């Protein structure tokens, strides 16, 4: 009998899923099955849907789709993102993105660290960013940014920023203008 191949916990889990289905609940879960080789873990997107006849649940349809590649790619992206954050922290190098169409600015965590703040305390906008540029350097920054936006050169400028604690820090910004 098939029941002998599975642990009591495994059987109880599946019985719980089917019980929910027979009570009329549509169930959707992501789950994995382990093989003898841990590198062979297979992920499934499982749907259990009650089948009705005259308002009464008479059965359950069960569909499973292999989502192993999707899950593996998600884990790879997570690891790459963690490595990128670690590298940025070690190098004290951040990344920012200015979207001129939507008038939005994005900073990585390390840019916030360089600026001596965090996304919880600093409401990021183009105006709030510009307010951090030292007043004596704002004209120079604007000139370099204008040249970059006009396609005359890439953005490359060293300037001072004012930190929340009142201290001043030099930063070096490089950027290229890209269009989507």
């Amino acid at each position: 009998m098939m029941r002998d191949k599975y642990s009591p916990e495994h059987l109880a889990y599946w019985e719980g899923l089917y019980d929910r289905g027979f009570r009329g609940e549509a169930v959707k879960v992501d789950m994995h099955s382990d093989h003898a080789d841990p590198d062979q873990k297979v992920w499934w997107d499982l749907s259990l849907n009650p089948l009705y006849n005259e308002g009464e649940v008479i059965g359950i349809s069960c569909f499973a789709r292999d989502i192993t590649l999707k899950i593996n790619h998600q884990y790879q992206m997570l690891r790459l993102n963690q490595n990128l954050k670690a590298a940025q922290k070690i190098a004290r190098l951040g990344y920012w993105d200015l979207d001129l169409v939507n008038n939005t600015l994005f900073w990585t965590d390390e840019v916030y660290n360089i600026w001596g703040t965090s996304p919880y305390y600093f409401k990021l906008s183009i105006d709030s960013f510009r307010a951090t540029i030292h007043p004596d350097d704002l004209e120079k920054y604007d000139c370099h940014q204008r040249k970059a936006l006009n396609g005359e050169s890439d953005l490359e400028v060293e300037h001072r920023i004012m930190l929340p604690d009142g201290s001043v820090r030099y930063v070096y910004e490089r950027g290229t203008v890209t269009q989507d």
Side-chain angles (χ1 to χ4, degrees), residues 47 70 72 75 86 106 135 137 152 161:
S47 296
K70 173 186 165 191
N72 288 343
Y75 281 126
F106 165 82
D137 292 349
E152 298 171 35
I161 58 173

Side-chain angles (χ1 to χ4, degrees), residues 145-158:
Q145 185 183 46
R146 198 170 23 262
K147 286 180 181 178
L149 293 174
N150 290 335
E152 298 171 35
S153 66
D154 286 343
L155 177 65
E156 191 166 342
V157 60
E158 182 178 30

Side-chain angles (χ1 to χ4, degrees), residues 53-84:
N53 183 17
E54 297 181 9
E56 181 181 334
V57 177
I58 60 168
I60 295 177
S61 65
C62 180
F63 299 96
R65 181 172 54 111
D66 184 342
I67 58 169
T68 305
L69 284 175
K70 173 186 165 191
I71 296 294
N72 288 343
H73 286 148
Q74 287 173 342
Y75 281 126
Q76 286 175 339
M77 291 300 294
L78 179 63
R79 278 195 308 274
L80 287 171
N81 195 28
Q82 290 168 340
N83 291 343
L84 177 61

Side-chain angles (χ1 to χ4, degrees), residues 12-70:
Y13 176 76
W14 277 93
E15 287 171 359
L17 292 177
Y18 276 93
D19 284 345
R20 289 168 60 190
F22 277 110
R23 287 194 308 268
E25 181 182 348
V27 179
K28 184 171 174 26
V29 294
D30 289 347
M31 60 188 313
H32 63 82
S33 57
D34 294 314
H35 293 81
D37 181 357
D39 292 332
Q40 295 293 321
K41 185 179 281 190
V42 177
W43 285 88
W44 301 98
D45 173 8
L46 177 72
S47 296
L48 294 152
N49 295 294
L51 299 173
Y52 293 94
N53 183 17
E54 297 181 9
E56 181 181 334
V57 177
I58 60 168
I60 295 177
S61 65
C62 180
F63 299 96
R65 181 172 54 111
D66 184 342
I67 58 169
T68 305
L69 284 175
K70 173 186 165 191

Side-chain angles (χ1 to χ4, degrees), residues 72-143:
N72 288 343
H73 286 148
Q74 287 173 342
Y75 281 126
Q76 286 175 339
M77 291 300 294
L78 179 63
R79 278 195 308 274
L80 287 171
N81 195 28
Q82 290 168 340
N83 291 343
L84 177 61
K85 283 183 178 185
Q88 287 182 356
K89 189 168 194 70
I90 291 166
R92 299 243 342 126
L93 175 75
Y95 166 83
W96 55 267
D97 183 53
L98 173 60
D99 181 340
L100 295 170
V101 173
N102 297 306
N103 201 34
T104 58
L105 182 60
F106 165 82
W107 282 0
T108 60
D109 290 344
E110 193 55 28
V111 175
Y112 282 101
N113 290 336
I114 292 166
W115 255 252
T117 189
S118 77
Y120 305 106
Y121 298 109
F122 185 73
K123 183 172 178 358
L124 182 61
S125 70
I126 294 168
D127 290 335
S128 64
F129 160 69
R130 288 178 50 76
T132 67
I133 298 174
H134 192 283
D136 294 340
D137 292 349
L138 191 55
E139 187 177 323
K140 176 174 78 169
Y141 179 85
D142 286 343
C143 178

